[in-house]
Amino acid sequence: MSADAKLWQDEDGCWHAVHDGDCTREHEGTAYDMVAVIASVNTCMAPMPITRWMLHVYPDGHAGLRGFSW
Ligand SMILES: [Zn+2]
């Protein structure tokens, strides 16, 4: 069960996202831009946008969000 998209925050608070499929865009923004980063991912993934986000803590202790279109 792999995620269709991943969203995380770096040490500076900036948001970054990657998603399945061919994508040449950089999905990233400042700490103020989480909603905009999600919107840009969903624009890319139309007509199957991410509809569900789940908090995930990786073994190294970092946390991020995993997104699913189902
Ligand atoms: Zn994209």
Side-chain angles (χ1 to χ4, degrees):
M1 224 171 40
S2 68
D4 298 322
K6 293 180 179 140
L7 178 75
W8 71 95
Q9 218 170 1
D10 66 24
E11 315 75 53
D12 298 321
C14 293
W15 289 99
H16 302 266
V18 294
H19 62 85
D20 287 353
D22 294 329
C23 177
T24 55
R25 292 182 62 177
E26 294 201 350
H27 297 288
E28 58 187 30
T30 71
Y32 296 91
D33 296 328
M34 185 186 80
V35 172
V37 171
I38 291 173
S40 74
V41 166
N42 281 338
T43 297
C44 254
M45 296 189 75
M48 292 281 286
I50 299 296
T51 52
R52 181 165 58 105
W53 291 99
M54 296 185 70
L55 184 63
H56 183 76
V57 178
Y58 293 91
D60 65 4
H62 284 95
L65 290 156
R66 298 201 295 180
F68 304 88
S69 58
W70 41 275

